[in-house]
Amino acid sequence: LVAKLPYNLGVGGAMRLGYRYARDHDYDVAIQIDADGQHDPRYVPKLVDLLDDNDLVIGARFAGEGDYNVRGPRRWAMVMLSAVLSRVARTKLTDTTSGFRAANRRVIEMFASWYPAEYLGDTVETLVHTARRGFRIRQVPVAMRKRMAGTPSHSPAKAMVYLGRAFAVLTLALIRR
């Protein structure tokens, strides 16, 4: 969807537009999947199956399937975010920055009218917003494939920037209503 747009909406704007399309065309389910090719679409049915009892399902890289690994400050940020967001969502979450998600009609409706534009807002802030509104969130283990496109953000400097942004987004999400 993003690549076919005649103008740049940014990730948040493109995601909101996708959720608006899903809402306007009466979709029961919307799947969010990163564009780097690492998410295996064979897991989509596992995510969708859990929507019978949940509103938002996350494909989690760190939940016991596959060998995806992150180290250093980036990993520390992910562990801390998961600990805080698990408490907010009242369920164990191990991969709160995953861009592989399934949403039901109720969450589609919410995301169609509200979706953050900030970096990491599409993962961290959406979880805070969703949990605070009483929606049920769950994760399912998924394995990641080798990156097919894009440039990974692995360097000590980038990891520290990621750490700072992650906590800034989390802080803003927790104080916003």
Side-chain angles (χ1 to χ4, degrees):
L1 177 62
V2 176
K4 294 184 179 191
L5 296 173
Y7 44 89
N8 184 1
L9 295 173
V11 173
M15 292 300 299
R16 188 177 318 115
L17 183 62
Y19 283 109
R20 283 181 183 164
Y21 183 91
R23 179 200 59 202
D24 294 348
H25 291 85
D26 295 321
Y27 283 31
D28 292 324
V29 173
I31 303 297
Q32 177 181 332
I33 189 165
D34 286 348
D36 62 8
Q38 289 185 297
H39 297 133
D40 189 339
R42 290 181 292 176
Y43 286 97
V44 168
K46 285 179 78 174
L47 274 71
V48 172
D49 286 347
L50 289 176
L51 286 176
D52 288 340
D53 299 316
N54 299 282
D55 300 297
L56 182 67
V57 179
I58 303 166
R61 300 168 282 193
F62 313 116
E65 192 159 329
D67 58 0
Y68 188 82
N69 192 19
V70 177
R71 294 184 301 266
R74 187 162 187 226
R75 180 66 180 153
W76 306 334
M78 290 176 162
V79 168
M80 295 279 284
L81 288 169
S82 293
V84 172
L85 291 170
S86 290
R87 292 190 71 185
V88 171
R90 294 186 174 104
T91 190
K92 181 171 175 70
L93 300 173
T94 60
D95 192 6
T96 55
T97 61
S98 173
F100 193 18
R101 298 172 177 209
N104 69 10
R105 186 183 295 264
R106 293 179 348 130
V107 172
I108 290 169
E109 183 68 35
M110 179 180 65
F111 286 169
S113 60
W114 173 90
Y115 205 89
E118 298 94 0
Y119 174 69
L120 290 176
D122 62 317
T123 55
V124 173
E125 190 170 359
T126 57
L127 286 178
V128 171
H129 195 79
T130 302
R132 283 191 167 164
R133 277 140 190 86
F135 292 104
R136 294 175 313 269
I137 301 168
R138 179 129 178 238
Q139 70 177 22
V140 63
V142 299
M144 299 288 281
R145 300 187 302 196
K146 186 176 178 183
R147 179 182 294 273
M148 296 175 168
T151 305
S153 57
H154 304 302
S155 78
K158 286 183 180 179
M160 292 307 291
V161 169
Y162 180 90
L163 183 65
R165 283 182 173 174
F167 286 107
V169 168
L170 179 61
T171 301
L172 287 173
L174 292 172
I175 61 175
R176 287 181 184 168
R177 287 284 166 194

